[in-house]
mmCIF file of all heavy atoms in Angstrom:
data_model
loop_
_atom_site.group_PDB
_atom_site.id
_atom_site.type_symbol
_atom_site.label_atom_id
_atom_site.label_comp_id
_atom_site.label_asym_id
_atom_site.label_seq_id
_atom_site.Cartn_x
_atom_site.Cartn_y
_atom_site.Cartn_z
ATOM 1 N N ASP A 43 -15.720 5.830 -1.569
ATOM 2 C CA ASP A 43 -16.587 4.549 -1.506
ATOM 3 C C ASP A 43 -17.597 4.716 -0.368
ATOM 4 O O ASP A 43 -18.670 4.190 -0.600
ATOM 5 C CB ASP A 43 -15.677 3.340 -1.180
ATOM 6 C CG ASP A 43 -14.654 3.175 -2.381
ATOM 7 O OD1 ASP A 43 -14.843 3.709 -3.547
ATOM 8 O OD2 ASP A 43 -13.641 2.316 -2.251
ATOM 9 N N PRO A 110 -36.163 17.168 -0.702
ATOM 10 C CA PRO A 110 -37.008 16.853 -1.819
ATOM 11 C C PRO A 110 -37.465 18.204 -2.492
ATOM 12 O O PRO A 110 -37.386 19.270 -1.835
ATOM 13 C CB PRO A 110 -38.116 16.130 -1.162
ATOM 14 C CG PRO A 110 -38.079 16.467 0.270
ATOM 15 C CD PRO A 110 -36.666 16.757 0.573
ATOM 16 N N ALA A 214 -21.417 21.886 -14.740
ATOM 17 C CA ALA A 214 -22.356 20.926 -14.960
ATOM 18 C C ALA A 214 -23.734 21.511 -15.018
ATOM 19 O O ALA A 214 -24.543 21.267 -15.926
ATOM 20 C CB ALA A 214 -22.269 19.798 -13.955
ATOM 21 N N PRO A 238 -24.198 35.664 -24.053
ATOM 22 C CA PRO A 238 -22.752 35.469 -24.349
ATOM 23 C C PRO A 238 -22.393 34.036 -24.241
ATOM 24 O O PRO A 238 -22.890 33.251 -23.381
ATOM 25 C CB PRO A 238 -22.105 36.358 -23.312
ATOM 26 C CG PRO A 238 -23.158 37.314 -22.989
ATOM 27 C CD PRO A 238 -24.384 36.701 -23.011
ATOM 28 N N MET A 308 -14.880 34.502 -18.652
ATOM 29 C CA MET A 308 -15.756 33.313 -18.548
ATOM 30 C C MET A 308 -16.620 33.517 -17.306
ATOM 31 O O MET A 308 -17.817 33.125 -17.321
ATOM 32 C CB MET A 308 -14.963 32.072 -18.374
ATOM 33 C CG MET A 308 -15.759 30.830 -18.324
ATOM 34 S SD MET A 308 -16.810 30.546 -19.795
ATOM 35 C CE MET A 308 -15.543 30.000 -21.034
ATOM 36 N N VAL A 340 -43.877 20.077 1.826
ATOM 37 C CA VAL A 340 -42.802 20.094 2.903
ATOM 38 C C VAL A 340 -43.303 20.830 4.163
ATOM 39 O O VAL A 340 -43.191 20.319 5.236
ATOM 40 C CB VAL A 340 -41.513 20.772 2.417
ATOM 41 C CG1 VAL A 340 -40.607 21.106 3.561
ATOM 42 C CG2 VAL A 340 -40.797 19.953 1.396
ATOM 43 N N ALA A 368 -37.359 22.420 20.409
ATOM 44 C CA ALA A 368 -36.226 22.636 19.488
ATOM 45 C C ALA A 368 -35.670 21.339 19.022
ATOM 46 O O ALA A 368 -35.292 21.253 17.887
ATOM 47 C CB ALA A 368 -35.219 23.631 20.096
ATOM 48 N N VAL A 374 -37.329 16.463 13.036
ATOM 49 C CA VAL A 374 -38.399 16.482 11.930
ATOM 50 C C VAL A 374 -37.694 17.064 10.722
ATOM 51 O O VAL A 374 -37.893 16.638 9.553
ATOM 52 C CB VAL A 374 -39.625 17.352 12.287
ATOM 53 C CG1 VAL A 374 -40.549 17.539 11.151
ATOM 54 C CG2 VAL A 374 -40.348 16.637 13.510
#
Side-chain angles (χ1 to χ4, degrees):
D43 295 347
M308 188 59 77
V340 168
V374 173

